[in-house]
Amino acid sequence: MRLVRAGEARGSLDVESVRKDFPILRQQVRGKPLVYLDSAATAQKPRAVIDAIARYYLDDNANVHRGVHLLSERATEAYEGSREKVRRFINAAHAHEIVFVRGTTEAINLVAQTYGRTQVSVGDEVLVTVMEHHSNIVPWQMLCEEKGAILRVAPMDDHGQLLMGELEHLIRPRTRLLALGHVSNALGTINPVRRIVEMAHQRSVPVLLDGAQAAPHLEVDVQALGCDFYAFSGHKLFGPTGIGVLYGRSELLEQMRPWQGGGDMISSVTFEKTTYNKLPHKFEAGTPDIAGAIGLGAAIDYVSGLGLSAIAAHEHDLLGYATEALRTVPGLRLIGTAKDKASVLSFLLGDVHPHDVGTVLDREGIAIRTGHHCAQPLMRRLGIAATARASLALYNTREDVDALVAGLHKVREVFA
Ligand SMILES: Cc1ncc(COP(=O)(O)O)c(C=O)c1O
């Protein structure tokens, strides 16, 4: 275990040791040591994840749930084992409440296309917030267009905090679902989702939480949150791309029609009638991303080994340090200053276009994200087209933040 180094507080991260677990971080880019500050887009993978995927293909590769042979048995065991790891990770009551999907986007589309299509009809309302990622807007918009329903949008203040009174007001008799982000990818705001779920449930409105930016940084307990659906992506959680999770409460998943039809999701098929498999297989048509699920299981083992509370404490410290450091850069404006924030720092630097900020930083070996962050309605609310965004993860250090600040001074020189 690498949790504690002599002299460190119990449970704190030994980041130097953690960094050694991520082979990609060792490289130089453009002749400079890589400073990776784009984990909100996708996180880097520890060797344990890469090895788990390689081991599966080297030793166990076979299709799941079908074969009588040993390899298929081992593959099924590993695949279903990962489902159990996910269950434990988010404290779901049952493993069959965990549906493997391609990512957060697919999870939300699944709910819109199954739950949404049966529960939402003409004149009904679906409620989202102004700070949502496109993947938690467009599926609902498509549903509302199809059904003649109305998409309502809860507003926020200028710090990027939801206006709770307004939100409450928007949960109305015709509201069929509230879908919102646990943590905003563009602002870093941690929304008070437990309180919001309570508020919605008092009015019998189910809640979907988009946990894409929360799962890698916060302890998630779906039972304590009380949410009805929770979605997240493996690749932001140090796992592979192409795998993600939809958690749904049993009662709801049971009621929902399948989404895609095909192998594995059936119990019996005749040309007259098909009966569907039990949960969660009803929602997993076709050969799943077996290696992806195994890789995600390894990623969960990895972060659980470090401890989510230790990770959160490290990132909180780093976020505080980075916020102060960025404030020393003349002309820098932080976008997203909520009281409760996760490790995202969106900013503007004078009137330099964020893309130019990113390009100059790239020359210094510093990787950040620039653009609208798949949140164009949020950018419009803020009256801007784009931001530069540095996002922190468990392997980032104060030295990374110092490099960012030095890089921003270079940007200022270049555009002086
Ligand atoms: C808040 C949020 N929701 C949803 C998504 C979509 O995730 P994915 O592209 O992995 O499906 C992202 C990705 O950036 C995100 O940040």
Side-chain angles (χ1 to χ4, degrees):
M1 291 290 271
R2 58 177 69 77
L3 287 188
V4 188
R5 227 186 204 174
E8 280 184 347
R10 202 181 144 60
S12 64
L13 277 193
D14 177 352
V15 181
E16 280 318 312
S17 166
V18 165
R19 288 178 67 81
K20 294 197 183 101
D21 295 335
F22 291 81
I24 205 168
L25 296 178
R26 281 184 217 142
Q27 69 186 288
Q28 302 232 325
V29 293
R30 309 201 188 278
K32 309 265 169 62
L34 169 65
V35 176
Y36 189 74
L37 295 173
D38 196 18
S39 297
T42 198
Q44 299 302 348
K45 322 302 174 198
R47 185 174 288 287
V49 167
I50 299 164
D51 287 349
I53 296 167
R55 217 177 305 120
Y56 164 69
Y57 281 126
L58 289 168
D59 298 336
D60 299 332
N61 178 51
N63 214 327
V64 289
H65 303 143
R66 294 174 199 181
V68 290
H69 57 82
L70 184 63
L71 260 54
S72 175
E73 224 173 80
R74 289 210 299 256
T76 304
E77 219 168 85
Y79 180 72
E80 292 301 330
S82 284
R83 198 189 305 279
E84 172 57 22
K85 287 176 188 182
V86 173
R87 184 203 67 74
R88 240 182 293 135
F89 185 64
I90 60 170
N91 193 34
H94 310 284
H96 65 246
E97 295 180 316
I98 306 300
V99 179
F100 283 125
V101 289
R102 276 197 303 131
T104 309
T105 304
E106 189 169 75
I108 297 171
N109 276 277
L110 190 162
V111 177
Q113 291 300 312
T114 58
Y115 184 82
R117 279 179 118 183
T118 53
Q119 300 299 317
V120 175
S121 45
V122 65
D124 285 341
E125 299 183 354
V126 175
L127 178 57
V128 297
T129 84
V130 70
M131 66 176 81
E132 299 311 313
H133 187 280
H134 294 163
S135 63
N136 201 25
I137 300 173
V138 184
W140 306 116
Q141 206 165 38
M142 289 164 69
L143 175 71
C144 288
E145 268 172 24
E146 180 187 319
K147 295 290 180 176
I150 303 153
L151 188 70
R152 298 276 181 209
V153 183
M156 64 176 202
D157 66 18
D158 291 338
H159 293 286
Q161 301 171 128
L162 289 176
L163 294 167
M164 295 296 280
E166 307 258 349
L167 173 67
E168 186 163 22
H169 195 64
L170 282 164
I171 306 173
R172 306 198 288 204
R174 295 302 299 264
T175 310
R176 292 290 167 259
L177 188 92
L178 165 57
L180 82 155
H182 192 167
V183 172
S184 156
N185 65 309
L187 302 169
T189 309
I190 303 175
N191 285 316
V193 287
R194 193 173 175 167
R195 192 143 63 90
I196 293 171
V197 169
E198 252 177 49
M199 213 187 250
H201 282 181
Q202 276 164 12
R203 293 162 179 77
S204 304
V205 172
V207 180
L208 176 144
L209 295 178
D210 168 355
Q213 297 295 341
H217 306 289
L218 309 173
E219 271 175 290
V220 174
D221 180 333
V222 289
Q223 292 188 75
L225 291 172
C227 58
D228 301 277
F229 300 104
Y230 198 94
F232 65 95
S233 302
H235 69 99
K236 295 182 198 287
L237 184 61
F238 316 100
T241 51
I243 188 79
V245 170
L246 170 68
Y247 156 81
R249 280 200 301 110
S250 289
E251 302 89 282
L252 292 178
L253 291 180
E254 290 287 2
Q255 286 168 27
M256 282 157 54
R257 281 175 56 77
W259 184 27
Q260 295 176 332
D264 239 26
M265 54 73 74
I266 58 91
S267 167
S268 78
V269 180
T270 65
F271 282 115
E272 288 70 39
K273 184 168 174 58
T274 292
T275 56
Y276 304 124
N277 205 341
K278 57 187 189 325
L279 292 177
H281 310 294
K282 182 170 90 172
F283 294 109
E284 292 181 3
T287 300
D289 184 354
I290 305 165
I294 290 169
L296 174 58
I300 286 174
D301 285 343
Y302 183 79
V303 293
S304 303
L306 297 175
L308 249 304
S309 57
I311 293 168
H314 166 67
E315 291 179 0
H316 185 73
D317 172 72
L318 205 53
L319 179 68
Y321 180 78
T323 304
E324 288 315 305
L326 288 185
R327 284 202 170 116
T328 66
V329 180
L332 188 141
R333 174 155 78 98
L334 278 173
I335 307 292
T337 49
K339 274 201 202 88
D340 210 4
K341 263 189 74 168
S343 40
V344 166
L345 295 133
S346 259
F347 59 88
L348 295 171
L349 187 58
D351 53 11
V352 184
H353 193 284
H355 187 77
D356 293 332
V357 174
T359 304
V360 175
L361 289 177
D362 176 55
R363 279 195 239 142
E364 301 301 311
I366 302 165
I368 63 157
R369 178 87 184 259
T370 65
H372 53 62
H373 314 295
C374 298
Q376 284 180 342
L378 171 64
M379 294 296 129
R380 177 184 271 224
R381 157 65 181 81
L382 294 164
I384 56 181
T387 75
R389 181 188 73 184
S391 52
L392 308 163
L394 49 84
Y395 37 61
N396 289 119
T397 60
R398 288 186 173 208
E399 288 71 32
D400 289 341
V401 173
D402 295 342
L404 172 65
V405 170
L408 291 172
H409 284 294
K410 281 247 163 71
V411 176
R412 292 188 66 248
E413 279 165 28
V414 171
F415 290 95

